[in-house]
Amino acid sequence: MDRLLLAICLSECRQRGEDNYMEETLRSIQDRIREVNWADYETAYGNADEDIPFYQDIDDGHGSTPKVSKSLIDLFSGDKANAMKATHDLWCGLCHQHAYVSSAALPAYDFLLLGLQILDDELKFEIIDILYGFVICIPKGTYTGWQSQLRKKMEADKPIFEGFLSNNNHDIAEYVNDIVKEL
């Protein structure tokens, strides 16, 4: 995954002469989400490319936890209610109760970091909660493989997190401070 995803998406939209950069950027991000082979990854509930049925009906309208790609696409849909639901589903599947990080967190991370930079404050706060789960579940120097890759990405992105320490939204600044401390 290209670490400059936002710049690339914006550039692609500008090159096509799109007037509505944000709407086109969201579509470009959704296209990149679809490019990931999510079947190669797992969530707390199973394969990241499958909808996982609930054991009990929780009257949520669809009866399952959606696959990761659908949740990420919903996050960048521009529909606030769907995006908020998506953050909950991603929190449940990717960093289950801040106790377990699944392998699907690795490809999802870049999209979540992008969302942290371009989405509204309410969604940013929810994304920070997910990212905090990642960092506390993968302490420094304790893992190899995909977990080590995820930790290294987060450490390399520490300046991005530090940029949120002066955010006007006190809750965001305070929660990001917890991530920075863990990095």
Side-chain angles (χ1 to χ4, degrees), residues 36-42 46-50 67-69 103-104 107:
V36 175
N37 186 2
W38 294 100
D40 290 345
Y41 301 96
E42 296 289 319
N47 189 283
D49 198 36
E50 297 176 3
K67 56 188 173 183
V68 173
S69 60
S103 64

Side-chain angles (χ1 to χ4, degrees), residues 132 135-136 165 173-183:
Y132 180 67
V135 76
I136 62 171
L165 293 174
E174 190 172 298
Y175 211 1
V176 166
N177 188 48
D178 292 339
I179 292 174
V180 170
K181 286 179 188 175
E182 292 292 329
L183 291 173

Side-chain angles (χ1 to χ4, degrees), residues 1 7 9 13 20-21 27 54 66 69 84 89 93 97 106 113 122 130 134 149 156 165 179:
M1 177 63 55
C9 292
C13 294
N20 189 342
Y21 294 128
R27 277 194 217 124
F54 293 138
S69 60
M84 287 300 290
D89 292 334
Q97 300 177 359
L106 181 61
L113 188 67
E122 193 173 358
I130 296 167
F134 292 179
Q149 291 174 336
L165 293 174
I179 292 174

Side-chain angles (χ1 to χ4, degrees), residues 14-31:
R14 287 185 182 126
Q15 288 173 1
R16 291 191 307 253
E18 304 292 345
D19 291 330
N20 189 342
Y21 294 128
M22 188 56 153
E23 184 178 315
E24 288 303 313
T25 298
L26 294 177
R27 277 194 217 124
S28 183
I29 293 166
Q30 291 172 344
D31 290 343

Side-chain angles (χ1 to χ4, degrees), residues 95-156:
C95 66
H96 191 73
Q97 300 177 359
H98 289 183
Y100 168 84
V101 176
S102 66
S103 64
L106 181 61
Y109 172 76
D110 291 323
F111 297 109
L112 292 170
L113 188 67
L114 181 58
L116 180 62
Q117 296 172 74
I118 68 171
L119 297 173
D120 71 37
D121 280 0
E122 193 173 358
L123 291 168
K124 284 178 184 174
F125 188 81
E126 298 302 321
I127 292 168
I128 291 166
D129 189 29
I130 296 167
L131 298 174
Y132 180 67
F134 292 179
V135 76
I136 62 171
C137 290
I138 306 174
K140 286 184 182 180
T142 59
Y143 294 95
T144 60
W146 69 264
Q147 293 168 325
S148 177
Q149 291 174 336
L150 179 57
R151 179 69 192 206
K152 286 177 183 173
K153 280 184 173 192
M154 293 189 80
E155 289 171 355

